[in-house]
Amino acid sequence: MQPELRLRWEAQFAAAHFQRVFNQSLYPYIGHVVQVFEPPASPGILFQFRNGMREEFAKLLDKRAFPPKSLNEAIRAVVPGAKPVIPDNPGIDHRDAWWRQAAAGAAIGSSFREEGTGTSLHIAFNKALCDVHVDRNGFVVDHDGHTHWDLNGLLRHLTIDLAGDKAPWLLHTGVVLDRNQRPVVQATVGPWFAVDLPSRDGTDRTAVKVGIQITGSFGR
């Protein structure tokens, strides 16, 4: 049963995004697979760490989530192709702590996500378990070394990704697999909300838009 769980497309999908972000394989860290998340939940895998690998995993996240304190550390931390990740809990004194923790939902333990407003790798782990999944909607962006949240990205995350985990009956999803059990098309249909805030360059009124959103991947 365990080999079959590792070969599920949802697990491979999460592992492929982990490889893209960290430039290394997720599989050496995976011990016993507890659960594979399937749509309408964000596709991914929940597992127990392989013996002795939790500490290595924590070091990997630490290197990607927290900036080096010196030039020498920065040079040693460079990994070609790897990308930074952002902690959901930046510390109680951080100005954005409340919304970043709230947006993390019910993540287990320490929680980190890929920056950007598109498809976003999300990782959460504690002493025993690790959750690696791929959210359809990111919401954190980095400008000039400061992390900000994108309002509409956050709304998409709440109404699609968290709804898929907590209220799957709100969403409709479909997947088409090829003969190797890899997704050719995966799509989720759910509610869409957008807020246009007043700006000097545009309208001076706040507008709220409601509709239907289709998210996923279409082709390889």
Side-chain angles (χ1 to χ4, degrees), residues 130-164:
C130 182
D131 172 350
V132 179
H133 64 263
V134 183
D135 287 328
R136 303 167 185 88
N137 303 279
F139 60 89
V140 292
V141 290
D142 187 280
H143 294 307
D144 302 322
H146 297 285
T147 301
H148 305 272
W149 57 282
D150 178 90
L151 175 60
N152 287 323
L154 179 58
L155 289 174
R156 290 192 298 269
H157 175 68
L158 294 173
T159 55
I160 296 293
D161 298 307
L162 291 187

PDB file of all heavy atoms in Angstrom, residues 130-164:
ATOM      1  N   CYS A 130       4.731  15.772   8.456  1.00  0.00           N
ATOM      2  CA  CYS A 130       5.010  16.827   7.487  1.00  0.00           C
ATOM      3  C   CYS A 130       3.912  16.828   6.427  1.00  0.00           C
ATOM      4  O   CYS A 130       3.544  15.781   5.891  1.00  0.00           O
ATOM      5  CB  CYS A 130       6.371  16.603   6.834  1.00  0.00           C
ATOM      6  SG  CYS A 130       6.831  17.913   5.660  1.00  0.00           S
ATOM      7  N   ASP A 131       3.392  18.002   6.143  1.00  0.00           N
ATOM      8  CA  ASP A 131       2.335  18.209   5.154  1.00  0.00           C
ATOM      9  C   ASP A 131       2.944  19.042   4.015  1.00  0.00           C
ATOM     10  O   ASP A 131       3.361  20.182   4.222  1.00  0.00           O
ATOM     11  CB  ASP A 131       1.170  18.937   5.824  1.00  0.00           C
ATOM     12  CG  ASP A 131       0.081  19.398   4.859  1.00  0.00           C
ATOM     13  OD1 ASP A 131       0.286  19.329   3.631  1.00  0.00           O
ATOM     14  OD2 ASP A 131      -0.972  19.842   5.338  1.00  0.00           O
ATOM     15  N   VAL A 132       3.004  18.464   2.821  1.00  0.00           N
ATOM     16  CA  VAL A 132       3.498  19.180   1.642  1.00  0.00           C
ATOM     17  C   VAL A 132       2.388  19.153   0.599  1.00  0.00           C
ATOM     18  O   VAL A 132       2.001  18.075   0.132  1.00  0.00           O
ATOM     19  CB  VAL A 132       4.777  18.529   1.060  1.00  0.00           C
ATOM     20  CG1 VAL A 132       5.235  19.285  -0.180  1.00  0.00           C
ATOM     21  CG2 VAL A 132       5.886  18.507   2.110  1.00  0.00           C
ATOM     22  N   HIS A 133       1.845  20.321   0.269  1.00  0.00           N
ATOM     23  CA  HIS A 133       0.779  20.369  -0.730  1.00  0.00           C
ATOM     24  C   HIS A 133       0.947  21.602  -1.611  1.00  0.00           C
ATOM     25  O   HIS A 133       1.772  22.469  -1.330  1.00  0.00           O
ATOM     26  CB  HIS A 133      -0.604  20.334  -0.070  1.00  0.00           C
ATOM     27  CG  HIS A 133      -0.896  21.523   0.790  1.00  0.00           C
ATOM     28  ND1 HIS A 133      -0.723  21.529   2.163  1.00  0.00           N
ATOM     29  CD2 HIS A 133      -1.347  22.762   0.483  1.00  0.00           C
ATOM     30  CE1 HIS A 133      -1.049  22.714   2.650  1.00  0.00           C
ATOM     31  NE2 HIS A 133      -1.441  23.484   1.640  1.00  0.00           N
ATOM     32  N   VAL A 134       0.153  21.669  -2.662  1.00  0.00           N
ATOM     33  CA  VAL A 134       0.266  22.750  -3.633  1.00  0.00           C
ATOM     34  C   VAL A 134      -1.041  23.527  -3.669  1.00  0.00           C
ATOM     35  O   VAL A 134      -2.064  23.015  -4.136  1.00  0.00           O
ATOM     36  CB  VAL A 134       0.609  22.214  -5.041  1.00  0.00           C
ATOM     37  CG1 VAL A 134       0.790  23.381  -6.013  1.00  0.00           C
ATOM     38  CG2 VAL A 134       1.854  21.348  -4.996  1.00  0.00           C
ATOM     39  N   ASP A 135      -1.004  24.751  -3.139  1.00  0.00           N
ATOM     40  CA  ASP A 135      -2.179  25.616  -3.197  1.00  0.00           C
ATOM     41  C   ASP A 135      -2.337  26.167  -4.605  1.00  0.00           C
ATOM     42  O   ASP A 135      -1.357  26.493  -5.273  1.00  0.00           O
ATOM     43  CB  ASP A 135      -2.043  26.773  -2.204  1.00  0.00           C
ATOM     44  CG  ASP A 135      -2.216  26.325  -0.763  1.00  0.00           C
ATOM     45  OD1 ASP A 135      -2.982  25.372  -0.531  1.00  0.00           O
ATOM     46  OD2 ASP A 135      -1.588  26.919   0.126  1.00  0.00           O
ATOM     47  N   ARG A 136      -3.564  26.318  -5.032  1.00  0.00           N
ATOM     48  CA  ARG A 136      -3.828  26.857  -6.369  1.00  0.00           C
ATOM     49  C   ARG A 136      -3.600  28.362  -6.424  1.00  0.00           C
ATOM     50  O   ARG A 136      -3.392  28.925  -7.493  1.00  0.00           O
ATOM     51  CB  ARG A 136      -5.262  26.531  -6.777  1.00  0.00           C
ATOM     52  CG  ARG A 136      -5.591  25.035  -6.745  1.00  0.00           C
ATOM     53  CD  ARG A 136      -7.099  24.825  -6.847  1.00  0.00           C
ATOM     54  NE  ARG A 136      -7.470  23.435  -6.709  1.00  0.00           N
ATOM     55  CZ  ARG A 136      -7.715  22.842  -5.538  1.00  0.00           C
ATOM     56  NH1 ARG A 136      -7.625  23.540  -4.410  1.00  0.00           N
ATOM     57  NH2 ARG A 136      -8.053  21.580  -5.483  1.00  0.00           N
ATOM     58  N   ASN A 137      -3.652  29.006  -5.248  1.00  0.00           N
ATOM     59  CA  ASN A 137      -3.573  30.467  -5.200  1.00  0.00           C
ATOM     60  C   ASN A 137      -2.627  30.927  -4.110  1.00  0.00           C
ATOM     61  O   ASN A 137      -2.873  30.698  -2.933  1.00  0.00           O
ATOM     62  CB  ASN A 137      -4.964  31.058  -4.915  1.00  0.00           C
ATOM     63  CG  ASN A 137      -5.994  30.635  -5.933  1.00  0.00           C
ATOM     64  OD1 ASN A 137      -6.078  31.197  -7.018  1.00  0.00           O
ATOM     65  ND2 ASN A 137      -6.789  29.620  -5.601  1.00  0.00           N
ATOM     66  N   GLY A 138      -1.523  31.565  -4.502  1.00  0.00           N
ATOM     67  CA  GLY A 138      -0.634  32.191  -3.536  1.00  0.00           C
ATOM     68  C   GLY A 138      -1.124  33.584  -3.199  1.00  0.00           C
ATOM     69  O   GLY A 138      -1.961  34.158  -3.904  1.00  0.00           O
ATOM     70  N   PHE A 139      -0.576  34.170  -2.138  1.00  0.00           N
ATOM     71  CA  PHE A 139      -1.057  35.507  -1.748  1.00  0.00           C
ATOM     72  C   PHE A 139       0.012  36.361  -1.097  1.00  0.00           C
ATOM     73  O   PHE A 139      -0.259  37.486  -0.682  1.00  0.00           O
ATOM     74  CB  PHE A 139      -2.259  35.393  -0.808  1.00  0.00           C
ATOM     75  CG  PHE A 139      -1.963  34.659   0.484  1.00  0.00           C
ATOM     76  CD1 PHE A 139      -1.500  35.326   1.593  1.00  0.00           C
ATOM     77  CD2 PHE A 139      -2.143  33.295   0.567  1.00  0.00           C
ATOM     78  CE1 PHE A 139      -1.217  34.653   2.767  1.00  0.00           C
ATOM     79  CE2 PHE A 139      -1.869  32.607   1.743  1.00  0.00           C
ATOM     80  CZ  PHE A 139      -1.406  33.296   2.840  1.00  0.00           C
ATOM     81  N   VAL A 140       1.247  35.877  -0.998  1.00  0.00           N
ATOM     82  CA  VAL A 140       2.296  36.692  -0.389  1.00  0.00           C
ATOM     83  C   VAL A 140       3.311  37.098  -1.455  1.00  0.00           C
ATOM     84  O   VAL A 140       3.684  36.306  -2.317  1.00  0.00           O
ATOM     85  CB  VAL A 140       3.017  35.961   0.770  1.00  0.00           C
ATOM     86  CG1 VAL A 140       2.082  35.767   1.941  1.00  0.00           C
ATOM     87  CG2 VAL A 140       3.575  34.627   0.326  1.00  0.00           C
ATOM     88  N   VAL A 141       3.701  38.349  -1.418  1.00  0.00           N
ATOM     89  CA  VAL A 141       4.665  38.874  -2.383  1.00  0.00           C
ATOM     90  C   VAL A 141       5.748  39.633  -1.634  1.00  0.00           C
ATOM     91  O   VAL A 141       5.523  40.129  -0.532  1.00  0.00           O
ATOM     92  CB  VAL A 141       3.986  39.792  -3.411  1.00  0.00           C
ATOM     93  CG1 VAL A 141       3.092  38.989  -4.340  1.00  0.00           C
ATOM     94  CG2 VAL A 141       3.195  40.887  -2.733  1.00  0.00           C
ATOM     95  N   ASP A 142       6.914  39.711  -2.245  1.00  0.00           N
ATOM     96  CA  ASP A 142       8.049  40.378  -1.617  1.00  0.00           C
ATOM     97  C   ASP A 142       8.440  41.587  -2.452  1.00  0.00           C
ATOM     98  O   ASP A 142       8.711  41.469  -3.644  1.00  0.00           O
ATOM     99  CB  ASP A 142       9.231  39.410  -1.496  1.00  0.00           C
ATOM    100  CG  ASP A 142      10.376  40.002  -0.690  1.00  0.00           C
ATOM    101  OD1 ASP A 142      11.130  40.797  -1.268  1.00  0.00           O
ATOM    102  OD2 ASP A 142      10.509  39.663   0.488  1.00  0.00           O
ATOM    103  N   HIS A 143       8.426  42.753  -1.832  1.00  0.00           N
ATOM    104  CA  HIS A 143       8.844  43.982  -2.496  1.00  0.00           C
ATOM    105  C   HIS A 143       9.936  44.647  -1.663  1.00  0.00           C
ATOM    106  O   HIS A 143       9.715  44.966  -0.490  1.00  0.00           O
ATOM    107  CB  HIS A 143       7.675  44.951  -2.656  1.00  0.00           C
ATOM    108  CG  HIS A 143       6.601  44.478  -3.578  1.00  0.00           C
ATOM    109  ND1 HIS A 143       6.859  44.059  -4.867  1.00  0.00           N
ATOM    110  CD2 HIS A 143       5.266  44.350  -3.408  1.00  0.00           C
ATOM    111  CE1 HIS A 143       5.721  43.707  -5.444  1.00  0.00           C
ATOM    112  NE2 HIS A 143       4.743  43.865  -4.579  1.00  0.00           N
ATOM    113  N   ASP A 144      11.104  44.814  -2.260  1.00  0.00           N
ATOM    114  CA  ASP A 144      12.205  45.525  -1.598  1.00  0.00           C
ATOM    115  C   ASP A 144      12.533  44.932  -0.235  1.00  0.00           C
ATOM    116  O   ASP A 144      12.826  45.650   0.720  1.00  0.00           O
ATOM    117  CB  ASP A 144      11.853  47.012  -1.445  1.00  0.00           C
ATOM    118  CG  ASP A 144      11.564  47.685  -2.775  1.00  0.00           C
ATOM    119  OD1 ASP A 144      12.264  47.350  -3.747  1.00  0.00           O
ATOM    120  OD2 ASP A 144      10.655  48.519  -2.841  1.00  0.00           O
ATOM    121  N   GLY A 145      12.476  43.611  -0.145  1.00  0.00           N
ATOM    122  CA  GLY A 145      12.830  42.945   1.103  1.00  0.00           C
ATOM    123  C   GLY A 145      11.733  42.909   2.141  1.00  0.00           C
ATOM    124  O   GLY A 145      11.941  42.407   3.247  1.00  0.00           O
ATOM    125  N   HIS A 146      10.533  43.401   1.803  1.00  0.00           N
ATOM    126  CA  HIS A 146       9.414  43.387   2.738  1.00  0.00           C
ATOM    127  C   HIS A 146       8.291  42.520   2.170  1.00  0.00           C
ATOM    128  O   HIS A 146       7.953  42.625   0.993  1.00  0.00           O
ATOM    129  CB  HIS A 146       8.887  44.802   2.996  1.00  0.00           C
ATOM    130  CG  HIS A 146       9.900  45.705   3.641  1.00  0.00           C
ATOM    131  ND1 HIS A 146      10.232  45.610   4.976  1.00  0.00           N
ATOM    132  CD2 HIS A 146      10.657  46.703   3.135  1.00  0.00           C
ATOM    133  CE1 HIS A 146      11.145  46.531   5.271  1.00  0.00           C
ATOM    134  NE2 HIS A 146      11.422  47.198   4.152  1.00  0.00           N
ATOM    135  N   THR A 147       7.728  41.688   3.022  1.00  0.00           N
ATOM    136  CA  THR A 147       6.654  40.802   2.603  1.00  0.00           C
ATOM    137  C   THR A 147       5.305  41.501   2.724  1.00  0.00           C
ATOM    138  O   THR A 147       5.011  42.135   3.738  1.00  0.00           O
ATOM    139  CB  THR A 147       6.647  39.529   3.461  1.00  0.00           C
ATOM    140  OG1 THR A 147       7.917  38.876   3.331  1.00  0.00           O
ATOM    141  CG2 THR A 147       5.546  38.582   3.025  1.00  0.00           C
ATOM    142  N   HIS A 148       4.498  41.383   1.680  1.00  0.00           N
ATOM    143  CA  HIS A 148       3.170  41.975   1.667  1.00  0.00           C
ATOM    144  C   HIS A 148       2.158  40.912   1.257  1.00  0.00           C
ATOM    145  O   HIS A 148       2.513  39.908   0.649  1.00  0.00           O
ATOM    146  CB  HIS A 148       3.096  43.144   0.675  1.00  0.00           C
ATOM    147  CG  HIS A 148       4.130  44.196   0.897  1.00  0.00           C
ATOM    148  ND1 HIS A 148       3.942  45.264   1.752  1.00  0.00           N
ATOM    149  CD2 HIS A 148       5.384  44.346   0.381  1.00  0.00           C
ATOM    150  CE1 HIS A 148       5.026  46.021   1.749  1.00  0.00           C
ATOM    151  NE2 HIS A 148       5.918  45.480   0.928  1.00  0.00           N
ATOM    152  N   TRP A 149       0.891  41.147   1.572  1.00  0.00           N
ATOM    153  CA  TRP A 149      -0.139  40.229   1.109  1.00  0.00           C
ATOM    154  C   TRP A 149      -0.952  40.882   0.013  1.00  0.00           C
ATOM    155  O   TRP A 149      -1.208  42.072   0.019  1.00  0.00           O
ATOM    156  CB  TRP A 149      -1.035  39.773   2.258  1.00  0.00           C
ATOM    157  CG  TRP A 149      -1.723  40.858   3.032  1.00  0.00           C
ATOM    158  CD1 TRP A 149      -1.172  41.661   3.981  1.00  0.00           C
ATOM    159  CD2 TRP A 149      -3.100  41.252   2.928  1.00  0.00           C
ATOM    160  NE1 TRP A 149      -2.119  42.522   4.490  1.00  0.00           N
ATOM    161  CE2 TRP A 149      -3.306  42.292   3.869  1.00  0.00           C
ATOM    162  CE3 TRP A 149      -4.172  40.817   2.150  1.00  0.00           C
ATOM    163  CZ2 TRP A 149      -4.541  42.904   4.036  1.00  0.00           C
ATOM    164  CZ3 TRP A 149      -5.408  41.427   2.327  1.00  0.00           C
ATOM    165  CH2 TRP A 149      -5.581  42.454   3.260  1.00  0.00           C
ATOM    166  N   ASP A 150      -1.304  40.066  -0.961  1.00  0.00           N
ATOM    167  CA  ASP A 150      -2.138  40.495  -2.070  1.00  0.00           C
ATOM    168  C   ASP A 150      -3.593  40.172  -1.710  1.00  0.00           C
ATOM    169  O   ASP A 150      -3.943  39.008  -1.499  1.00  0.00           O
ATOM    170  CB  ASP A 150      -1.721  39.761  -3.344  1.00  0.00           C
ATOM    171  CG  ASP A 150      -2.577  40.123  -4.533  1.00  0.00           C
ATOM    172  OD1 ASP A 150      -2.221  41.084  -5.235  1.00  0.00           O
ATOM    173  OD2 ASP A 150      -3.601  39.441  -4.762  1.00  0.00           O
ATOM    174  N   LEU A 151      -4.423  41.200  -1.617  1.00  0.00           N
ATOM    175  CA  LEU A 151      -5.798  41.026  -1.133  1.00  0.00           C
ATOM    176  C   LEU A 151      -6.572  40.007  -1.964  1.00  0.00           C
ATOM    177  O   LEU A 151      -7.180  39.077  -1.422  1.00  0.00           O
ATOM    178  CB  LEU A 151      -6.528  42.369  -1.129  1.00  0.00           C
ATOM    179  CG  LEU A 151      -8.028  42.316  -0.765  1.00  0.00           C
ATOM    180  CD1 LEU A 151      -8.220  41.745   0.624  1.00  0.00           C
ATOM    181  CD2 LEU A 151      -8.642  43.709  -0.867  1.00  0.00           C
ATOM    182  N   ASN A 152      -6.546  40.156  -3.275  1.00  0.00           N
ATOM    183  CA  ASN A 152      -7.326  39.240  -4.104  1.00  0.00           C
ATOM    184  C   ASN A 152      -6.709  37.848  -4.144  1.00  0.00           C
ATOM    185  O   ASN A 152      -7.424  36.852  -4.258  1.00  0.00           O
ATOM    186  CB  ASN A 152      -7.495  39.822  -5.509  1.00  0.00           C
ATOM    187  CG  ASN A 152      -8.469  40.978  -5.517  1.00  0.00           C
ATOM    188  OD1 ASN A 152      -9.466  40.966  -4.801  1.00  0.00           O
ATOM    189  ND2 ASN A 152      -8.184  41.996  -6.307  1.00  0.00           N
ATOM    190  N   GLY A 153      -5.379  37.777  -4.030  1.00  0.00           N
ATOM    191  CA  GLY A 153      -4.748  36.467  -3.901  1.00  0.00           C
ATOM    192  C   GLY A 153      -5.189  35.769  -2.630  1.00  0.00           C
ATOM    193  O   GLY A 153      -5.442  34.561  -2.618  1.00  0.00           O
ATOM    194  N   LEU A 154      -5.300  36.532  -1.539  1.00  0.00           N
ATOM    195  CA  LEU A 154      -5.759  35.973  -0.267  1.00  0.00           C
ATOM    196  C   LEU A 154      -7.211  35.519  -0.368  1.00  0.00           C
ATOM    197  O   LEU A 154      -7.569  34.442   0.127  1.00  0.00           O
ATOM    198  CB  LEU A 154      -5.600  37.022   0.840  1.00  0.00           C
ATOM    199  CG  LEU A 154      -6.055  36.613   2.242  1.00  0.00           C
ATOM    200  CD1 LEU A 154      -5.312  35.382   2.726  1.00  0.00           C
ATOM    201  CD2 LEU A 154      -5.850  37.771   3.214  1.00  0.00           C
ATOM    202  N   LEU A 155      -8.058  36.310  -1.013  1.00  0.00           N
ATOM    203  CA  LEU A 155      -9.460  35.921  -1.190  1.00  0.00           C
ATOM    204  C   LEU A 155      -9.572  34.645  -2.015  1.00  0.00           C
ATOM    205  O   LEU A 155     -10.370  33.749  -1.694  1.00  0.00           O
ATOM    206  CB  LEU A 155     -10.239  37.047  -1.861  1.00  0.00           C
ATOM    207  CG  LEU A 155     -10.491  38.299  -1.016  1.00  0.00           C
ATOM    208  CD1 LEU A 155     -11.144  39.390  -1.859  1.00  0.00           C
ATOM    209  CD2 LEU A 155     -11.363  37.975   0.193  1.00  0.00           C
ATOM    210  N   ARG A 156      -8.777  34.527  -3.062  1.00  0.00           N
ATOM    211  CA  ARG A 156      -8.792  33.305  -3.867  1.00  0.00           C
ATOM    212  C   ARG A 156      -8.330  32.107  -3.043  1.00  0.00           C
ATOM    213  O   ARG A 156      -8.880  31.008  -3.154  1.00  0.00           O
ATOM    214  CB  ARG A 156      -7.909  33.465  -5.108  1.00  0.00           C
ATOM    215  CG  ARG A 156      -8.461  34.433  -6.147  1.00  0.00           C
ATOM    216  CD  ARG A 156      -7.697  34.335  -7.459  1.00  0.00           C
ATOM    217  NE  ARG A 156      -6.293  34.693  -7.312  1.00  0.00           N
ATOM    218  CZ  ARG A 156      -5.817  35.922  -7.471  1.00  0.00           C
ATOM    219  NH1 ARG A 156      -6.633  36.927  -7.752  1.00  0.00           N
ATOM    220  NH2 ARG A 156      -4.517  36.164  -7.347  1.00  0.00           N
ATOM    221  N   HIS A 157      -7.308  32.327  -2.206  1.00  0.00           N
ATOM    222  CA  HIS A 157      -6.806  31.252  -1.348  1.00  0.00           C
ATOM    223  C   HIS A 157      -7.884  30.789  -0.368  1.00  0.00           C
ATOM    224  O   HIS A 157      -8.092  29.586  -0.171  1.00  0.00           O
ATOM    225  CB  HIS A 157      -5.575  31.752  -0.584  1.00  0.00           C
ATOM    226  CG  HIS A 157      -5.034  30.777   0.409  1.00  0.00           C
ATOM    227  ND1 HIS A 157      -4.441  29.589   0.054  1.00  0.00           N
ATOM    228  CD2 HIS A 157      -5.001  30.810   1.769  1.00  0.00           C
ATOM    229  CE1 HIS A 157      -4.064  28.938   1.147  1.00  0.00           C
ATOM    230  NE2 HIS A 157      -4.394  29.644   2.188  1.00  0.00           N
ATOM    231  N   LEU A 158      -8.585  31.733   0.230  1.00  0.00           N
ATOM    232  CA  LEU A 158      -9.610  31.397   1.212  1.00  0.00           C
ATOM    233  C   LEU A 158     -10.793  30.679   0.573  1.00  0.00           C
ATOM    234  O   LEU A 158     -11.335  29.730   1.142  1.00  0.00           O
ATOM    235  CB  LEU A 158     -10.088  32.664   1.929  1.00  0.00           C
ATOM    236  CG  LEU A 158      -9.062  33.378   2.814  1.00  0.00           C
ATOM    237  CD1 LEU A 158      -9.626  34.693   3.326  1.00  0.00           C
ATOM    238  CD2 LEU A 158      -8.640  32.501   3.990  1.00  0.00           C
ATOM    239  N   THR A 159     -11.208  31.137  -0.613  1.00  0.00           N
ATOM    240  CA  THR A 159     -12.421  30.593  -1.218  1.00  0.00           C
ATOM    241  C   THR A 159     -12.190  29.334  -2.038  1.00  0.00           C
ATOM    242  O   THR A 159     -13.139  28.611  -2.331  1.00  0.00           O
ATOM    243  CB  THR A 159     -13.101  31.646  -2.114  1.00  0.00           C
ATOM    244  OG1 THR A 159     -12.157  32.128  -3.081  1.00  0.00           O
ATOM    245  CG2 THR A 159     -13.611  32.815  -1.301  1.00  0.00           C
ATOM    246  N   ILE A 160     -10.947  29.053  -2.407  1.00  0.00           N
ATOM    247  CA  ILE A 160     -10.666  27.845  -3.176  1.00  0.00           C
ATOM    248  C   ILE A 160      -9.840  26.849  -2.362  1.00  0.00           C
ATOM    249  O   ILE A 160     -10.268  25.724  -2.115  1.00  0.00           O
ATOM    250  CB  ILE A 160      -9.934  28.175  -4.490  1.00  0.00           C
ATOM    251  CG1 ILE A 160     -10.827  29.025  -5.396  1.00  0.00           C
ATOM    252  CG2 ILE A 160      -9.523  26.894  -5.204  1.00  0.00           C
ATOM    253  CD1 ILE A 160     -12.053  28.319  -5.929  1.00  0.00           C
ATOM    254  N   ASP A 161      -8.678  27.248  -1.909  1.00  0.00           N
ATOM    255  CA  ASP A 161      -7.775  26.310  -1.243  1.00  0.00           C
ATOM    256  C   ASP A 161      -8.279  25.883   0.137  1.00  0.00           C
ATOM    257  O   ASP A 161      -8.378  24.695   0.427  1.00  0.00           O
ATOM    258  CB  ASP A 161      -6.367  26.917  -1.141  1.00  0.00           C
ATOM    259  CG  ASP A 161      -5.766  27.182  -2.514  1.00  0.00           C
ATOM    260  OD1 ASP A 161      -5.741  26.247  -3.330  1.00  0.00           O
ATOM    261  OD2 ASP A 161      -5.355  28.320  -2.772  1.00  0.00           O
ATOM    262  N   LEU A 162      -8.601  26.859   0.993  1.00  0.00           N
ATOM    263  CA  LEU A 162      -9.073  26.489   2.321  1.00  0.00           C
ATOM    264  C   LEU A 162     -10.468  25.890   2.265  1.00  0.00           C
ATOM    265  O   LEU A 162     -10.799  25.002   3.042  1.00  0.00           O
ATOM    266  CB  LEU A 162      -9.039  27.705   3.254  1.00  0.00           C
ATOM    267  CG  LEU A 162      -7.637  28.202   3.638  1.00  0.00           C
ATOM    268  CD1 LEU A 162      -7.737  29.300   4.695  1.00  0.00           C
ATOM    269  CD2 LEU A 162      -6.754  27.071   4.140  1.00  0.00           C
ATOM    270  N   ALA A 163     -11.296  26.362   1.333  1.00  0.00           N
ATOM    271  CA  ALA A 163     -12.623  25.765   1.182  1.00  0.00           C
ATOM    272  C   ALA A 163     -12.510  24.315   0.733  1.00  0.00           C
ATOM    273  O   ALA A 163     -13.288  23.454   1.158  1.00  0.00           O
ATOM    274  CB  ALA A 163     -13.449  26.567   0.184  1.00  0.00           C
ATOM    275  N   GLY A 164     -11.532  24.025  -0.135  1.00  0.00           N
ATOM    276  CA  GLY A 164     -11.335  22.651  -0.579  1.00  0.00           C
ATOM    277  C   GLY A 164     -10.962  21.727   0.561  1.00  0.00           C
ATOM    278  O   GLY A 164     -11.298  20.540   0.551  1.00  0.00           O
TER     279      GLY A 164
END
